[in-house]
Amino acid sequence: MPFLIVPIAAAAAVLSYRLLEGWSVRSWIPALCRAAGWSVLSILLLNVSCPSVRPSSRPTVLLDGSLSMQAAGGRWTEALAQARAAGDVRLVGALRGDSTASGGFSRLAAAVAGARSGEPAVVVVTDGEVEDADALPPDLLAGVTVKVLPRQPVADVALVRASGIARLTPADTLRIEVEAQAFGPPRAWALGLEAREGDRLWLRGPLALDAGGRGRAVLAGPLPAVPPGAHVLTVRLTGAADTEPRDDARNLVVTVVPTPGVVLLAGPPTWESRFLLETLRDVAALPVRGYLETESGRWRRSGDLKPVPTAEVNDAARRADVLVSLGETAAIPRASRARGRWLWPATGARPGSVGDWYVSVLSASPVSGGFAGMAVDSFPPGTAIADLTAGPADWTGLTAQAGRRGTVRPVMLGRDSAGVRRIVMGIEGLWRWTFRGGSSEQGYRGLIASSLAWLLAGADSAAGRARVLHEVVQRGRPVIFEWNGPGAPEPTPILLTAGSLSRSDTLAFDGAGHAELVLAPGVWRYRLTGGGQGTVAVEEYSDEWLPAQRTLAARDAVERAAGGRIPVRTWLWLFGLGVVSFAGEWLARRRLGLR
């Protein structure tokens, strides 16, 4: 194109002087200057481009730094060699400051998008087991070379789950539900299970795998004679002798407390107390203890109905996290230090209190989420109500009407005052919701679960300004702390110790009130500045040790980094040539006496 534009522009410039200007021998100089200026102007107006050869550069290599690359059958050494030979290596997903595969997640999407925005050539080296492969659009992958080194199949059996109630009293039974999965070539496994705390054996039992290589078992038994506090149990497979021992054990933090977290007192026992106690045990992640006053001043433990002294009831009520009292039991809860109180006073048989009371749920209350999508007005009605008056600081969760008409009466009030959360129920007969089953049973469970969650959400002085969301964390994943103090979250110093190791850090909370720390495997005790302490266990186990489906396939880049075209408007010297040409023509014309 430039070879066509330049002759035309030069010829037009010379002819303009030959035909329109007075031509002389000295006219060649301004004519040539005009020819050069018009040629440059024409090229810039058309913005023609020229082929370019970009300087060669080494590709950016994104090396998958998740733990799966170093699992049994993984090909980390080969992947590292290929990545170094292919270009400049960036380790993706590894823990900060680590130079080997150590991350607890296999995520590459953000790193690929960032590299593609600034690098001409991108190469990904991975085992193909990528969690966010669906977040990599085809147009983004079109310019990326993916090299997949799948892990080799090996015979392995892993303990994929170990769960149980986190808080127990010395008299409770410890139950641990365990699930295992075999991978690789079929093999006959003779497996057992042990739950230990150091050298102390807590529980032991067998484990059998089905034809699909999956096994489930429950370890159950009384607690050993251990002091109150947090105890980190290691639930381990025995007899595995497989190629990946790092997935054979899981941790479980069990906190032994002198009294249960939720205590229910009923005097006398009723259908309401029976169904409420059963539902509390189903929905609460805490030990639940019930005491029934079958006769005045005589208490029995729910379940086995064994007589218990009043002193035990007083002690349990005083030290419970949540105290639930039904009927005439007001004398005992007065000395309770529970941070959550749930009162179900007797409604009596006052005129106008007995009848069919149909319940409605107010949308702006802490318990409304338990009734999402449910037709509460079709649930069985309550049988009686008590007179409740909402104060200025109270919220109302439930209201009731006699026979679906008449005056709307509050039957559930809540208040958060002086660090104690309190709920008062003024209706009887809600047990009929769960007795009928179906959606009304789910509504009853939702009411109990949401109420208990609100009662337990008050400030916990034992946790201090922050508490861990999960007391057991897999290797390579962060320990998440949640702000638990008053006011807005603020940076909080923390001291962590694990055996002879010690680490000082500061929790920096985000807008959601969460802070993250990455810790090495082990049992860590932490202490917060300003009060609060706890225990967190970082497992040797990681889901990355388990074989997973390959979601990212090998491919070659469609785009080529070399080549391309450069527009002439990017050449600054061309603009300078045009200015010089027109300035030269003006100067030559002035010397010839032309305008």
Side-chain angles (χ1 to χ4, degrees):
M1 181 66 71
F3 297 103
L4 180 62
I5 294 175
V6 170
I8 294 176
V14 173
L15 288 176
S16 65
Y17 268 92
R18 297 282 295 185
L19 300 177
L20 301 178
E21 306 286 351
W23 181 262
S24 66
V25 178
R26 298 171 60 190
S27 298
W28 280 105
I29 296 177
L32 291 177
C33 290
R34 178 178 291 185
W38 283 14
S39 299
V40 170
L41 185 61
S42 301
I43 291 175
L44 292 176
L45 288 175
L46 295 176
N47 194 29
V48 298
S49 60
C50 299
S52 66
V53 178
R54 298 179 182 175
S56 60
S57 61
R58 301 191 71 193
T60 297
V61 181
L62 304 179
L63 178 57
D64 187 355
S66 61
L67 286 169
S68 62
M69 298 290 289
Q70 292 200 89
R75 301 160 65 181
W76 168 252
T77 302
E78 183 180 351
L80 183 60
Q82 287 196 16
R84 289 174 174 171
D88 298 328
V89 180
R90 294 183 187 175
L91 198 57
V92 179
L95 301 183
R96 181 176 299 179
D98 211 334
S99 59
T100 187
S102 57
F105 301 97
S106 293
R107 298 172 182 170
L108 296 175
V112 172
R116 283 288 295 151
S117 64
E119 303 294 340
V122 177
V123 178
V124 173
V125 180
T126 178
D127 57 7
E129 301 172 8
V130 180
E131 298 177 23
D132 57 356
D134 55 349
L136 291 167
D139 57 339
L140 182 64
L141 281 178
V144 177
T145 297
V146 180
K147 297 183 179 182
V148 176
L149 285 76
R151 71 168 88 181
Q152 302 296 330
V154 296
D156 179 41
V157 59
L159 198 61
V160 297
R161 185 174 68 91
S163 60
I165 297 178
R167 291 169 64 94
L168 296 169
T169 65
D172 289 331
T173 298
L174 174 62
R175 289 174 54 89
I176 303 177
E177 297 181 0
V178 177
E179 183 177 347
Q181 176 68 55
F183 302 92
R187 176 179 169 183
W189 300 94
L191 302 174
L193 293 168
E194 288 184 350
R196 291 180 175 271
E197 183 189 18
D199 296 332
R200 183 194 297 269
L201 178 64
W202 284 46
L203 296 172
R204 174 183 289 168
L207 176 65
L209 302 182
D210 57 21
R214 186 174 294 274
R216 293 181 175 88
V218 176
L219 298 178
L223 293 180
V226 295
H231 299 267
V232 180
L233 302 185
T234 300
V235 184
R236 183 178 300 278
L237 285 170
T238 60
D242 55 13
T243 55
E244 182 53 88
R246 292 172 292 186
D247 58 14
D248 293 346
R250 303 299 302 269
N251 288 133
L252 182 68
V253 178
V254 175
T255 302
V256 179
V257 294
T259 56
V262 180
V263 173
L264 181 143
L265 307 179
T270 61
W271 286 104
E272 197 76 65
S273 63
R274 174 184 175 181
F275 283 95
L276 177 59
L277 184 60
E278 292 179 355
T279 307
L280 283 171
R281 286 172 172 162
D282 288 340
V283 304
L286 296 170
V288 178
R289 181 69 54 82
Y291 296 97
L292 311 176
E293 191 179 22
T294 55
E295 302 176 38
S296 179
R298 297 186 178 181
W299 292 88
R300 294 179 182 269
R301 185 184 295 115
S302 66
D304 55 16
L305 295 181
K306 291 183 178 181
V308 295
T310 304
E312 178 182 330
V313 180
N314 288 333
D315 185 64
R318 184 176 65 255
R319 304 177 68 176
D321 287 324
V322 175
L323 179 60
V324 185
S325 55
L326 293 87
E328 303 295 340
T329 60
I332 289 179
R334 287 176 182 172
S336 175
R337 298 195 298 265
R339 55 193 173 103
R341 296 285 305 276
W342 199 352
L343 307 178
W344 296 64
T347 58
R350 293 179 299 276
S353 66
V354 179
D356 290 338
W357 293 91
Y358 289 87
V359 175
S360 297
V361 180
L362 298 186
S363 58
S365 75
V367 299
S368 59
F371 299 94
M374 296 184 183
V376 181
D377 58 352
S378 66
F379 291 179
T383 57
I385 66 169
D387 292 329
L388 299 181
T389 302
D394 294 345
W395 54 262
T396 302
L398 302 178
T399 59
Q401 287 180 291
R404 294 194 178 94
R405 57 185 179 271
T407 304
V408 176
R409 308 274 290 274
V411 293
M412 181 181 187
L413 300 179
R415 173 182 293 185
D416 186 355
S417 176
V420 177
R421 294 194 170 193
R422 184 186 303 266
I423 292 179
V424 180
M425 302 294 294
I427 186 169
E428 289 184 356
L430 294 187
W431 61 269
R432 300 198 294 177
W433 290 8
T434 187
F435 188 78
R436 173 186 285 186
S439 62
S440 62
E441 180 182 12
Q442 297 303 316
Y444 188 81
R445 291 172 62 89
L447 171 65
I448 304 306
S450 56
S451 300
L452 190 61
W454 184 79
L455 290 170
L456 288 169
D460 188 350
S461 58
R465 307 175 70 183
R467 58 186 175 191
V468 291
L469 287 183
H470 304 286
E471 292 180 313
V472 178
V473 180
Q474 295 182 20
R475 176 177 178 173
R477 299 191 178 185
V479 179
I480 302 177
F481 289 83
E482 183 180 50
W483 177 256
N484 190 51
E490 58 186 43
T492 302
I494 183 173
L495 175 64
L496 303 108
T497 57
S500 60
L501 299 178
S502 179
R503 172 179 172 181
S504 297
D505 212 317
T506 300
L507 299 178
F509 296 91
D510 57 18
H514 291 165
E516 296 183 356
L517 286 180
V518 178
L519 302 175
V523 178
W524 294 85
R525 315 286 179 177
Y526 67 87
R527 184 181 299 274
L528 301 172
T529 299
Q533 58 186 345
T535 301
V536 61
V538 181
E539 300 177 299
E540 185 66 33
Y541 173 91
S542 172
D543 287 338
E544 292 289 315
W545 303 135
L546 310 182
Q549 182 182 2
R550 288 196 294 274
T551 56
L552 192 61
R555 58 177 296 129
D556 292 326
V558 176
E559 300 177 355
R560 301 298 178 185
R565 302 184 69 86
I566 300 178
V568 296
R569 288 182 184 175
T570 62
W571 297 348
L572 296 180
W573 64 267
L574 196 59
F575 288 89
L577 178 60
V579 172
V580 171
S581 299
F582 287 117
E585 180 189 7
W586 177 83
L587 183 60
R589 289 175 63 86
R590 295 289 291 178
R591 289 186 172 274
L592 292 175
L594 301 176
R595 294 182 179 178

